[in-house]
């Protein structure tokens, strides 16, 4: 018998065995499906019903890649995602033919000037530069991988002119001076893995003039890798500044304040996506994270809804005052706004007590999170374009706006959105998920599972292998630099020599009928009605 015949016989035997295995498995599953009591579909349609659950499980991927149009995806559309990626990867964001925005829908628009500023007329730092790696797209064939070239690129970092430096806590012993209006919002080590935090830190450090918020998970060595300015967030769990029993540790706070990169503290009252304490699943809490947070390893972490140290504005302000006096650093607070009542109460207390925060981070309800609940993310707290003007109005009403800076957060991922937020009253802007995308996030929505397929929102060492720090840090830097450049570009189009000069007069609101309103008109309506008025539109 020759070799061909032997191989034929072996082939038939293998096929026969496979068929037997498939048939036996099918009969077994058929019986299991008929007898199980959990799924009615499987009881009536054994085996066939499993196809329903299979397609249901891959539904998000099918919608993301095949069925949603470029503007439909949530929380970020395909267009939003691609704009971030292009800025980070190619250090530019140019597209052709025309906008895909629905111009019939209501929305905000930036007023252009008949006589825009020339580039040479812009007031910005012309000297500070940074070298980063960027990709050049050589060819993009339909059925093959795109051809790209990696090159080193030096450019301006588009910082504010020194005269326009934004000073937080001017009365503090160690004020925080900022010359870039865009920074990283609170994302903890533990929520993100060490590689993601390292890449973000190093990238932000390369971009210069920005900051990184540690999130409520404490200050780790990875936050310090890039030498970037840090805002250390203190949440109700007091991770990183507590003792083993969970009490606030003033000695530990002082020790942290002596770290050169640490420029300010932020007391977190709430977060837009979860007006509650934070949560980290047990599988994410490895020994290192437990040490940094001063908790037990491999146990779920839930911080309370609020700090036990205070329960009203006066006691909150006393707590903030003590931190400021103890460390000499500026102290801010992160809040979610539900109506004008909270904003007015906050501003009135600042005026009446002469105490309070050096900055207020206003987090919109559309913000992101590693883990929360649907009822909180969808319905508790106003989105940023409603909340931000309420805070700005209240601080101006009670005459304390000049002493308090405002940081806005809530899907402000593009220069035009940043410009509108500044016009609405923000001094600075925080971005979180945009930065996650720069280090590889593809929106699989697996942040709470520790199974992030691209190694960003996971502490699993095997999953983190996907994230190459030395490549992603350049994307982070490119994104910040390109965002700043775009912000100056929008300012120039509005006839302004710097984005710090955006005011309400530079933005109009267009309703679905085509009628336009100035923001002053909208806010005057709010004041007359004693509340939110039409700004919630």
């Amino acid at each position: 018998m020759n070799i061909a015949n032997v191989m034929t016989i072996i082939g038939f035997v293998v096929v026969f065995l496979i068929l037997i295995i498939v048939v036996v498995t099918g009969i077994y599953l058929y019986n299991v499906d008929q007898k199980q009591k959990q799924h009615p579909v499987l009881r009536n349609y054994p085996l066939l019903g499993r196809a329903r659950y299979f397609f249901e499980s891959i539904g998000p991927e099918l919608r993301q890649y095949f069925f949603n149009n470029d503007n439909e995806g949530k929380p970020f559309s395909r267009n939003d995602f691609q704009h971030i990626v292009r800025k980070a990867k190619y250090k530019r964001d140019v597209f052709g033919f025309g906008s895909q925005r629905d111009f019939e829908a209501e929305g905000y628009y930036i007023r252009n000037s008949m006589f825009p500023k020339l580039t040479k007329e812009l007031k910005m730092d012309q000297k500070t530069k940074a070298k980063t790696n960027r990709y050049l797209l050589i060819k993009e064939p339909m059925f093959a991988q795109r051809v790209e070239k990696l090159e080193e690129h030096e450019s301006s970092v588009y910082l504010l002119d020194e005269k326009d430096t934004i000073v937080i806590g001017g009365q503090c012993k160690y004020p925080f001076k900022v010359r870039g209006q865009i920074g990283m919002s609170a994302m903890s080590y533990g929520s993100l893995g060490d590689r993601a935090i390292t890449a973000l830190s190093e990238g932000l450090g390369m971009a210069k003039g920005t900051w990184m918020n540690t999130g409520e998970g404490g200050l780790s060595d990875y936050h310090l890798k890039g030498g970037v300015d840090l805002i250390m967030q203190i949440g109700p769990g007091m991770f990183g500044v507590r003792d083993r029993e969970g009490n606030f540790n003033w000695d530990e706070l002082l020790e942290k304040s002596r770290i050169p990169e640490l420029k300010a503290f932020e007391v977190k009252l709430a977060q837009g996506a979860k007006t509650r304490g934070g949560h980290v699943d047990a599988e994410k809490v490895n020994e290192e994270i437990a040490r940094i947070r001063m908790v037990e390893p491999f146990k779920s972490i839930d911080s309370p809804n609020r700090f036990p140290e205070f329960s009203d504005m006066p006691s909150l302000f006393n707590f903030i005052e003590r931190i400021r006096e103890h460390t000499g650093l500026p102290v801010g607070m992160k809040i979610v706004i539900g109506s004008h009542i909270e904003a007015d109460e906050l501003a009135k207390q600042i005026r009446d007590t002469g105490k309070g925060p050096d900055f207020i981070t206003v987090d919109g309800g559309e913000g992101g999170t590693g883990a929360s609940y649907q009822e909180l993310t969808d319905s508790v707290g106003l989105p940023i374009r409603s909340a931000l003007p309420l805070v700005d109005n209240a601080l101006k009403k009670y005459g304390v706006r000049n002493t308090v800076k405002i940081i806005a957060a809530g899907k402000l991922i593009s220069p035009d959105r940043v410009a509108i937020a500044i016009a609405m009253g923000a001094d600075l802007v925080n971005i979180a998920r945009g930065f996650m995308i720069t280090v590889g996030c593809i929106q699989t929505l697996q942040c709470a599972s520790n199974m992030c397929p691209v190694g960003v929102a996971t502490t699993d060492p095997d999953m983190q292998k996907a994230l190459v720090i030395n490549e992603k840090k350049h994307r982070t830097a490119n994104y910040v630099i390109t965002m700043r450049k775009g912000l100056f570009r929008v300012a120039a189009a509005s006839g302004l020599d710097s984005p710090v000069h955006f005011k309400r007069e530079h933005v109009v609101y267009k309703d679905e009928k085509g009628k336009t309103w100035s923001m002053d008109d909208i806010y005057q309506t709010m004041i007359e009605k004693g509340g939110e008025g039409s700004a919630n539109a």
Side-chain angles (χ1 to χ4, degrees):
M1 184 177 295
N2 60 39
I3 187 80
N5 290 335
V6 172
M7 295 302 297
T8 301
I9 293 171
I10 292 174
F12 276 117
V13 170
V14 170
V15 170
F16 179 74
L17 289 175
I18 291 173
L19 287 174
I20 291 294
I21 292 171
V22 169
V23 170
V24 171
T25 303
I27 292 172
Y28 172 76
L29 292 176
Y30 186 93
N31 290 326
V32 169
D33 291 347
Q34 272 193 324
K35 294 176 182 179
Q36 59 82 37
K37 300 176 181 180
Q38 185 179 2
H39 303 291
V41 171
L42 293 181
R43 284 176 69 86
N44 279 346
Y45 302 97
L47 285 182
L48 184 61
R50 290 177 177 268
R52 185 245 184 212
Y53 295 109
F54 170 73
F55 286 114
E56 181 183 49
S57 69
I58 65 171
E61 288 80 6
L62 292 175
R63 287 189 292 275
Q64 181 177 358
Y65 294 109
F66 297 105
F67 300 118
N68 281 343
N69 70 35
D70 288 341
N71 294 306
E72 280 181 341
K74 299 294 182 182
F76 294 101
S77 69
R78 186 180 292 112
N79 268 340
D80 287 338
F81 183 85
Q82 289 298 331
H83 283 310
I84 296 169
V85 170
R86 280 196 291 266
K87 288 180 178 68
K89 189 174 182 181
Y90 303 110
K91 211 173 182 179
R92 66 197 300 263
D93 187 13
V94 178
F95 65 94
F97 201 66
S99 172
Q100 294 189 36
R101 179 174 181 170
D102 181 1
F103 289 98
E104 301 299 318
E106 58 189 16
Y108 288 95
Y109 291 83
I110 300 168
R111 283 181 56 189
N112 64 293
S113 172
M114 296 289 286
F115 303 98
K117 293 292 184 183
L118 299 173
T119 301
K120 65 181 181 181
E121 295 176 308
L122 295 176
K123 285 177 59 180
M124 65 179 182
D125 182 342
Q126 303 282 359
K127 296 179 180 179
T128 306
K129 300 184 182 297
K131 287 183 179 180
T132 62
N133 293 338
R134 69 173 184 177
Y135 287 89
L136 289 178
L137 182 59
I138 307 299
K139 187 186 297 184
E140 193 169 15
M142 183 174 293
F143 298 108
Q145 189 173 3
R146 62 169 63 106
V147 181
E148 295 173 327
K149 175 186 176 183
L150 187 65
E151 69 164 13
E152 186 177 76
H153 182 257
E154 183 178 61
S155 69
S156 168
V157 291
Y158 299 94
L159 294 178
L160 299 174
D161 186 80
E162 195 166 346
K163 293 180 181 178
D164 291 326
T165 298
I166 297 169
V167 181
I168 300 174
Q171 304 303 314
C172 294
K173 186 177 181 180
Y174 307 109
F176 180 22
K177 298 179 180 181
V178 182
R179 293 178 60 200
Q181 291 175 283
I182 300 165
M184 194 190 96
S185 191
M187 292 191 286
S188 301
Y189 172 47
S191 177
L192 303 188
D194 58 87
R195 290 197 180 196
I197 295 292
T198 300
L200 290 166
S201 176
E202 293 186 359
L204 291 166
M206 292 167 65
K208 304 180 178 64
T210 185
W211 68 93
M212 182 183 203
N213 192 306
T214 65
E216 65 177 299
L219 176 58
S220 72
D221 292 339
Y222 308 108
H223 290 106
L224 299 167
K225 289 280 188 178
V228 64
D229 289 341
L230 297 173
I231 298 176
M232 181 176 178
Q233 188 180 87
I234 304 172
M238 298 176 289
F239 304 124
V241 287
R242 57 182 252 163
D243 58 26
R244 290 293 178 183
E245 287 69 46
N247 302 308
F248 198 86
N249 189 329
W250 292 96
D251 291 335
E252 190 64 39
L253 177 78
L254 184 61
E255 193 67 28
K256 291 289 196 302
S257 72
R258 290 170 176 161
I259 296 172
E261 291 84 357
L262 189 53
K263 304 299 183 182
F265 290 98
E266 180 182 78
V267 178
K268 175 188 173 182
L269 270 65
Q271 181 179 339
K274 51 183 179 189
T275 49
R276 57 180 284 275
H279 171 81
V280 181
D281 287 331
E283 55 266 29
K284 280 192 171 186
V285 188
N286 59 33
E287 292 180 352
E288 184 180 29
I289 290 168
R291 175 181 57 79
I292 292 168
R293 297 195 179 204
M294 301 174 182
V295 297
E296 292 187 52
F298 306 110
K299 287 190 177 182
S300 293
I301 303 173
D302 282 288
S303 52
N305 279 0
R306 69 168 177 81
F307 286 78
E309 275 71 19
F310 50 81
S311 57
D312 54 20
M313 288 291 179
S315 56
L316 164 63
F317 288 177
N318 288 335
F319 183 66
I320 288 175
E321 198 77 14
R322 188 175 174 188
I323 294 176
R324 186 187 295 116
E325 291 175 355
H326 197 64
T327 64
L329 296 175
V331 184
M333 55 189 285
K334 182 174 183 176
I335 60 172
V336 176
I337 288 293
S339 77
H340 72 99
I341 297 172
E342 289 85 7
D344 273 17
E345 181 186 359
L346 172 60
K348 185 176 184 297
Q349 289 288 332
I350 294 174
R351 183 198 66 181
D352 292 348
T353 63
K355 301 177 180 178
D358 297 298
F359 66 93
I360 298 173
T361 300
V362 183
D363 204 26
E366 66 270 60
T369 177
S372 188
Y373 301 98
Q374 174 272 324
E375 61 270 21
L376 295 180
T377 55
D378 286 353
S379 300
V380 180
L382 291 173
I384 190 60
R385 287 182 177 174
S386 294
L388 179 56
L390 297 181
V391 176
D392 185 51
N393 278 351
L395 294 175
K396 288 176 178 176
K397 176 180 176 182
Y398 290 96
V400 294
R401 180 64 180 88
N402 290 337
T403 65
V404 182
K405 301 302 181 187
I406 297 177
I407 304 177
K411 298 180 74 172
L412 304 175
I413 56 163
S414 62
D416 55 323
R417 297 185 195 183
V418 173
I420 291 171
I422 294 172
M424 285 181 165
D427 297 289
L428 304 166
V429 163
N430 270 342
I431 299 174
R433 286 171 292 180
F435 282 116
M436 288 178 66
I437 291 170
T438 69
V439 293
C441 170
I442 57 172
Q443 286 195 104
T444 60
L445 312 184
Q446 297 297 314
C447 304
S449 69
N450 206 36
M451 292 299 292
C452 174
V454 290
V456 177
T458 177
T459 58
D460 186 304
D462 291 329
M463 302 301 288
Q464 286 196 74
K465 290 177 182 177
L467 199 159
V468 180
I469 295 170
N470 286 332
E471 200 265 350
K472 299 304 182 189
K473 68 181 183 183
H474 291 280
R475 298 197 186 202
T476 298
N478 290 342
Y479 177 61
V480 180
I481 292 169
T482 309
M483 284 284 288
R484 290 185 197 139
K485 182 178 181 180
L487 188 56
F488 269 102
R489 187 186 298 121
V490 175
S494 298
L496 305 174
D497 60 15
S498 173
V500 299
H501 299 309
F502 274 114
K503 304 296 181 188
R504 294 178 179 180
E505 65 195 59
H506 296 112
V507 175
V508 296
Y509 179 81
K510 182 194 78 70
D511 66 21
E512 69 279 0
K513 296 179 181 179
K515 183 177 180 180
T516 59
W517 305 76
S518 72
M519 284 206 286
D520 282 332
D521 291 336
I522 294 173
Y523 299 143
Q524 185 60 39
T525 302
M526 291 167 56
I527 293 169
E528 290 171 357
K529 292 185 177 181
E532 294 84 351
S534 61
N536 286 332

